[in-house]
Structures are given as structure tokens and as C-alpha cells.
Amino acid sequence: MHKGWIWLMAAWGIALAATLGALFIGEVMGMTPCLLCWYQRIFMFPLALILGMAAFADDRRGAVYALPLALAGAALAAYHSALIAGWVPQWWVPCGAGPSCSEQSLEILGGIQIPWLSLVAFLAIVNLLFVYLRKTRS
């Protein structure tokens, strides 16, 4: 194992926890995700697979492939968090029919919104991948 393997394993752990959390909220709790939450899932779910395979194979290429997904997911989660905070004009709201993207009904740990948790998860993964890629540079 490379010296930076622990960073890749930590990124996989965060992606796996976020994926399982999203599946729990949607499938067990029965909450339908909004459009932006669906898009964030599109970026997070493959990260759990890619980073898991990369961590167990100790393959640097997995981190390289995962980084664009994590960056795009972080950008989308940042936009969704700004929408929740009311920093985005109302005409920028992308949601139509279905659950509202700007009015989240689920808060955990004393008022933390799900898009904020998504943003933290994506940013943590991005940071861990940058550290891993820097430590394993040839």
C-alpha cells in the first residue's frame, strides 16, 4: 500500500456514508428528493463505487477519475445550499413539479439541512483526494 492510501480510504468512507444516508432518507424514510438532490446523488453514488475499488486496489487512477465527479457535486451542492439560504434569486430556482428545492423539510442534528451535509461531504472528498494525489505523485 502507498503511504497515502489512508486518504483514499477516508474519501471512500465519506462517499459510502453519504450514499447510504441518501438511500436511507429516500427508501426507508420515504422522502422524495427534489431535483437538485437527485443531481447530487448522480455525482455521489458513483464516487462510492469508484473510490471503493480504487482504495482496495490501491489504484491512483480511481482518485483521478473521482475528482471531477466530486468537484461537480460540490458545485451543485454549493448552489443548492445557497438556494436554501436564500442567496439565489427566485427566478434561478430550477425545480418545477415535485418537492421544492428551496424549502427543505428535513433537518438533522439541530437544524442542519441535507444540502449542507452534501456540500460538506463533497468538499471533504475533494480535499482528501487532493491530499492523496499530492502524496502519491510520481
Side-chain angles (χ1 to χ4, degrees), residues 30-106:
M31 295 188 68
T32 305
C34 70
L35 183 65
L36 289 175
C37 289
W38 274 116
Y39 290 150
Q40 289 170 64
R41 287 176 177 204
I42 289 169
F43 289 112
M44 184 61 76
F45 289 6
L47 284 176
L49 295 173
I50 293 169
L51 292 174
M53 288 186 289
F56 286 104
D58 198 18
D59 188 1
R60 187 177 192 276
R61 291 176 298 175
V64 173
Y65 300 148
L67 191 58
L69 285 172
L71 287 169
L76 192 60
Y79 172 72
H80 198 182
S81 297
L83 189 62
I84 296 292
W87 299 339
V88 175
Q90 199 62 14
W91 57 273
W92 276 16
V93 178
C95 293
S100 173
C101 291
S102 60
E103 297 173 13
Q104 297 291 313
S105 60
L106 180 62

Side-chain angles (χ1 to χ4, degrees), residues 9-21:
M9 195 68 167
W12 173 66
I14 293 170
L16 184 62
T19 297
L20 293 175

